[in-house]
Amino acid sequence: MKIAVIAHLKFPIGQPYLGGLEMHTHHLAGALRQRGHRVTLFASEGSDPLLVPNPVCPPTGDALGDPVLSEKIERAELLAYERIMDAVARGGFDIVHNNSLHDLPLRASNTLSVPMTTALHTPPFDSLAAGVQAAKPGMIFAAVSPSLAQEWHGLVPDARVIGNGIDLSTFAFRPEADPADYVFWSGRIVPEKGTHLAIDAARSAGLRLRFAGPKPNPRYWDEWIAPRLGDDVQYVGHLSHRDLAQQLGGARAAIVSPRWEEPFGLVVAEALACGTPVAAFGRGAIPDIVDRHSGALAPADDVDALARAIRNAVTLDRRACRRRAETLYDAQVMTDGYEELYREVLAGAPASRVRAPLLERPAA
């Protein structure tokens, strides 16, 4: 198949990842290429050259509440997605996989002869919801978790649920935690990820914390994180996946502290793959991922309850965590799901657009 994958443009699709959507897009594009598909990834500059991306613009970044910068980003993204859709229309693709968070590809689907599917990675917000409503009738959508599918149900009543996957070889199983005896947090260090609450909960639980991730919000770091640092709280940087897996696998537990309805939570799957139990606020998709054998949940924003969840999580069986990741969150299983989705989309496409059958996955 000749597949166009449309990424979001705020950050490059490559390591070290700025977030879960970058990692997901990287895994999917790479896995499809490995299975013999001809993939063109439309992404921002600086994306992984191994994916042979089509770089359409510099990374547009995050406005961080600055209205002037926000308007500048909107203009840049609008022009970039217009160029992408022009290239898609001329590219002779068999199918388009829309992985962006922008409304323009959805609106432009009405003018395309090539079939498109869209994966939903966030809860509804105004511009994306308007794009979904304006999309070509009959478009098939995927959601990355049952809870996210439910949030979109009013606009997309029949979204296919295809869970995100991770590279189980990178996040290798560690049967025992590191003797250094710490818990771990990772993600973008921003208010909606609740890094400061994870620090407070680890302290309350009486355990040392290591944490990692990019620092895109300097004010949050200066006002909420830096004052909490100490001998028992160590920032270890923005890590590659290999280094992240090393730190995560050595932890007694992973803390996940979202302050919004997390649409999936790749860090949860990464922790389970390493055999590291999870202590988390039970928001969004996290209760879909964690069961009582692999983690402990706390009510949203309740630091004392999260501390109790941490103390519970460190007692859980690490092998049970790994088994759950192998069963549900393998990137190859995710890719199987999207290939099946492409088959469904193409089954409803005009015959003139279907030029070749999907390649079968190579035998193991």
Side-chain angles (χ1 to χ4, degrees):
M1 293 293 294
K2 187 175 182 182
I3 304 170
V5 176
I6 304 175
H8 85 112
L9 303 176
K10 294 190 178 300
F11 308 110
I13 305 303
Q15 295 194 48
Y17 301 114
L18 264 292
L21 183 51
E22 292 82 15
M23 188 188 85
H24 164 83
T25 305
H26 191 281
H27 279 342
L28 179 64
L32 290 170
R33 289 178 65 86
Q34 289 172 359
R35 295 186 181 194
H37 301 293
R38 292 168 291 155
V39 177
T40 298
L41 172 65
F42 294 95
S44 58
E45 295 171 4
S47 295
D48 187 349
L50 293 177
L51 299 177
V52 196
N54 185 325
V56 295
C57 65
T60 58
D62 191 333
L64 296 177
D66 182 333
V68 175
L69 182 55
S70 179
E71 184 176 344
K72 182 179 178 181
I73 289 172
E74 283 184 25
R75 288 198 303 268
E77 290 188 347
L78 182 64
L79 291 172
Y81 280 112
E82 286 176 348
R83 292 195 296 272
I84 288 173
M85 298 315 295
D86 285 344
V88 167
R90 301 191 309 267
F93 293 101
D94 296 305
I95 193 166
V96 181
H97 181 119
N98 176 27
N99 231 22
S100 76
L101 304 178
H102 202 278
D103 63 308
L104 191 144
L106 289 158
R107 296 179 187 278
S109 65
N110 288 285
T111 66
L112 290 179
S113 61
V114 56
M116 177 191 289
T117 186
T118 292
L120 301 169
H121 294 274
T122 69
F125 56 90
D126 289 347
S127 62
L128 186 58
V132 167
Q133 290 177 301
K136 191 172 186 176
M139 182 180 290
I140 298 178
F141 292 85
V144 298
S145 67
S147 67
L148 186 63
Q150 185 59 42
E151 288 195 66
W152 277 98
H153 186 265
L155 291 176
V156 185
D158 55 355
R160 313 311 192 253
V161 175
I162 302 176
N164 285 337
I166 60 171
D167 181 353
L168 294 179
S169 63
T170 297
F171 291 92
F173 176 58
R174 294 272 295 275
E176 295 182 357
D178 193 287
D181 196 30
Y182 64 91
V183 292
F184 190 70
W185 183 99
S186 66
R188 288 182 301 117
I189 301 171
V190 293
E192 60 266 30
K193 295 292 186 179
T195 320
H196 65 290
L197 300 181
I199 294 173
D200 293 348
R203 277 209 171 106
S204 181
L207 290 165
R208 298 172 64 86
L209 175 71
R210 296 180 186 176
F211 69 106
K215 301 187 289 184
N217 189 328
R219 183 175 179 180
Y220 177 63
W221 175 271
D222 292 342
E223 294 183 4
W224 292 88
I225 305 303
R228 286 173 161 81
L229 299 178
D231 291 342
D232 60 338
V233 177
Q234 179 187 8
Y235 175 60
V236 295
H238 185 196
L239 305 178
S240 69
H241 256 198
R242 185 175 69 174
D243 292 339
L244 177 63
Q246 185 70 21
Q247 292 282 347
L248 187 53
R252 292 185 65 193
I255 305 175
V256 185
S257 51
R259 306 197 74 192
W260 70 315
E261 299 310 310
E262 191 71 57
F264 185 79
L266 277 164
V267 65
V268 181
E270 291 165 354
L272 298 182
C274 293
T276 303
V278 173
F281 291 139
R283 303 193 68 162
I286 292 176
D288 298 333
I289 303 174
V290 174
D291 65 5
R292 63 187 179 86
H293 302 292
S294 58
L297 301 180
D301 294 341
D302 188 332
V303 170
D304 291 338
L306 184 58
R308 292 192 294 272
I310 294 168
R311 289 191 288 266
N312 184 1
V314 299
T315 69
L316 297 176
D317 181 4
R318 297 177 70 91
R319 294 187 185 279
C321 298
R322 176 67 182 191
R323 284 195 298 270
R324 188 162 179 82
E326 289 174 340
T327 303
L328 299 176
Y329 306 117
D330 185 344
Q332 297 302 322
V333 174
M334 174 190 75
T335 308
D336 290 343
Y338 280 111
E339 283 191 325
E340 183 59 33
L341 180 64
Y342 302 159
R343 292 187 181 96
E344 183 176 356
V345 171
L346 290 173
S352 61
R353 290 300 314 162
V354 184
R355 299 198 309 256
L358 279 166
L359 297 176
E360 293 298 325
R361 181 179 174 185

